[in-house]
Amino acid sequence: MVKAVTGFGRSGLYDWFIQRVSAVVLVAYTLFIVGFIFLSKDFGYASWSALFEQRWVRVFSLVALISTLAHAWIGLWSVVTDYLTNRMMGGKATVLRILVEVLLGAVAVFYAVWGFEILWGV
Amino acid sequence: MNKNRPVNLDISTIKLPAPALVSILHRISGVVLFAVVALLLCMLDSSLESEQGFNKVAAFFTSVPAKLVLWASLAALIYHLVAGVRHLIMDLGVGESLEGGRRGAVIVLVLSVVLILLAGVLVW
């Protein structure tokens, strides 16, 4: 059996589970933000910044961002594993796939640090 | 494992019935959304920085090209969310039959188009 060394949860079952849990978090967060924008009477800088001054909103936002990155990692792993294959482009596909995954991982880390900096204001 | 199993993952030779179309669009919108995170973080950064920053983001989205980018991003988000909810519903055992899969796929496509058009109205 092939070991999914670049998978997120170390096994397909964990990946499946993380994918679902993060999806539910992201649906909740999307509805929360969209709901806030539409339901606030005078949506503007004052109400928007007041929202993010609350700690639970920052925590919820950070959890949503981390969910996004875990969710994206699993999804992007599936995509590169399906399309950047040895069958399609020979042995160099493995090298290319690893490079792409490293690059995507770097972007994910960058997003996480950036998001944390925004939410906890540097 | 037999390494010479016949495979056909050449998408150009595969017909795309509704469930296949829903699946490939789910992947494409997912890849797009990973890039859109940068745009969202940019907007969040400016909008929380100061009142001027907030107004700058609002002003930026009055131009037509910016509105198109925003609408395309919202379209990817809406589609990915609707198709994702279908996955969650199917995980609960609903609509797993061949016919249920087809019906679910058509519902996803119709519902997304309606919501994406609605988002377009709101953006403009």
Side-chain angles (χ1 to χ4, degrees), chain A residues 16 20 24 30 38 43-45 48-49 52 68 71-72 76 78-79 82-83 87 104 107-108 111 114-115 118, chain B residues 7 9 11 24 27 31 34-35 37-38 41-42 44-45 47-51 54 77 80-81 87-88 91 122:
Chain A
W16 177 87
R20 267 57 186 181
V24 171
T30 306
F38 281 104
F43 175 68
Y45 177 70
W48 185 245
S49 58
F52 281 90
T68 304
H71 192 91
L76 291 170
S78 316
V79 170
D82 278 354
Y83 304 126
R87 191 180 53 77
L104 292 171
V107 173
Y111 280 166
W114 187 16
I118 294 167
Chain B
V7 284
L9 287 173
I11 288 166
I24 194 68
R27 289 189 155 197
V31 172
F34 188 66
V37 173
L41 285 172
C42 243
L44 186 67
D45 195 8
S47 70
L48 288 178
E49 202 178 60
S50 63
E51 184 143 23
F54 186 94
L77 178 66
H80 200 82
L81 196 146
H87 265 304
L88 294 175
D91 282 344
L122 285 166

Side-chain angles (χ1 to χ4, degrees), chain A residues 15-111:
Chain A
D15 276 1
W16 177 87
F17 185 68
I18 294 165
Q19 194 80 314
R20 267 57 186 181
V21 173
S22 57
V24 171
V25 170
L26 289 168
V27 172
Y29 189 73
T30 306
L31 293 178
F32 171 68
I33 292 293
V34 171
F36 179 83
I37 291 172
F38 281 104
L39 298 179
S40 42
K41 274 182 232 108
D42 46 357
F43 175 68
Y45 177 70
S47 60
W48 185 245
S49 58
L51 178 72
F52 281 90
E53 258 159 39
Q54 292 164 273
R55 185 183 285 119
W56 72 269
V57 176
R58 291 169 191 234
V59 172
F60 190 15
S61 304
L62 192 65
V63 170
L65 179 61
I66 293 166
S67 297
T68 304
L69 301 179
H71 192 91
W73 184 262
I74 296 165
L76 291 170
W77 179 87
S78 316
V79 170
V80 293
T81 306
D82 278 354
Y83 304 126
L84 301 179
T85 59
N86 292 352
R87 191 180 53 77
M88 279 165 90
M89 53 184 83
K92 61 182 188 296
T94 306
V95 179
L96 181 64
R97 197 166 66 240
I98 300 286
L99 279 175
V100 169
E101 282 172 2
V102 168
L103 185 75
L104 292 171
V107 173
V109 171
F110 179 76
Y111 280 166

Side-chain angles (χ1 to χ4, degrees), chain B residues 2-14:
Chain B
N2 175 13
K3 297 226 176 206
N4 295 315
R5 291 174 301 168
V7 284
N8 181 20
L9 287 173
D10 181 0
I11 288 166
S12 59
T13 67
I14 298 174

